[in-house]
């Protein structure tokens, strides 16, 4: 009995006998010709369209109070004028909340007429 003949495992592609040139673009710019700007790219910097009403955050109060009574709460209050306080514990956090409210009424950035300054 003879074994059936198998086809070859790899096929060899025939090579081209003549070289072919790569296709050339139809409309090629000549040297020194200016290129156009890509579509959708702004030429000049434009102002931000979402400027809002001119308000910006100045003072922050961050309180961490986990739901478990066994974990101690903490808080941090800070302002762009340089005011910064931290508190750990329930009583200290409550005092810091009150001090944050008092600072908002006395802050020179929020109330320019406070701290001895008078409006002209």
């Amino acid at each position: 009995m003879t074994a059936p003949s198998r086809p070859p495992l790899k096929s060899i592609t025939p090579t081209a006998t003549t070289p072919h040139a790569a296709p050339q673009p139809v409309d090629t710019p000549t040297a020194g010709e200016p290129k156009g700007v890509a579509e959708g790219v702004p030429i000049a910097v434009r102002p931000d369209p979402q400027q809002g009403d001119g308000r910006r955050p100045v003072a922050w109060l961050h309180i961490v109070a986990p739901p478990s009574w066994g974990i101690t709460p903490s808080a941090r209050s800070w302002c762009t004028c340089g005011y910064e306080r931290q508190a750990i514990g329930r009583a200290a956090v409550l005092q810091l909340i009150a001090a944050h409210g008092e600072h908002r009424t006395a802050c020179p950035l929020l109330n320019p007429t406070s701290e001895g300054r008078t409006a002209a």
Side-chain angles (χ1 to χ4, degrees):
M1 209 172 200
T2 61
S5 71
R6 289 197 235 170
L9 296 176
K10 292 184 177 181
S11 63
I12 300 173
T13 57
T15 58
T17 56
T18 60
H20 296 287
Q24 298 295 317
V26 178
D27 188 23
T28 58
T30 60
E33 187 173 312
K35 295 181 179 180
V37 177
E39 189 175 330
V41 177
I43 295 173
V45 178
R46 297 181 183 154
D48 187 12
Q50 300 175 351
Q51 292 179 354
D53 57 359
R55 297 185 298 171
R56 59 183 173 82
V58 174
W60 295 268
L61 178 63
H62 182 243
I63 302 170
V64 178
S68 172
W69 282 90
I71 300 174
T72 306
S74 63
R76 180 176 175 228
S77 171
W78 69 99
C79 181
T80 55
C81 73
Y83 174 85
E84 185 172 353
R85 305 287 186 272
Q86 292 181 347
I88 298 174
R90 288 184 194 355
V93 167
L94 291 173
Q95 288 176 353
L96 181 69
I97 293 170
H100 179 78
E102 291 172 8
H103 174 74
R104 289 183 56 168
T105 60
C107 178
L109 296 177
L110 293 172
N111 304 306
T113 59
S114 65
E115 293 187 10
R117 297 180 190 163
T118 57

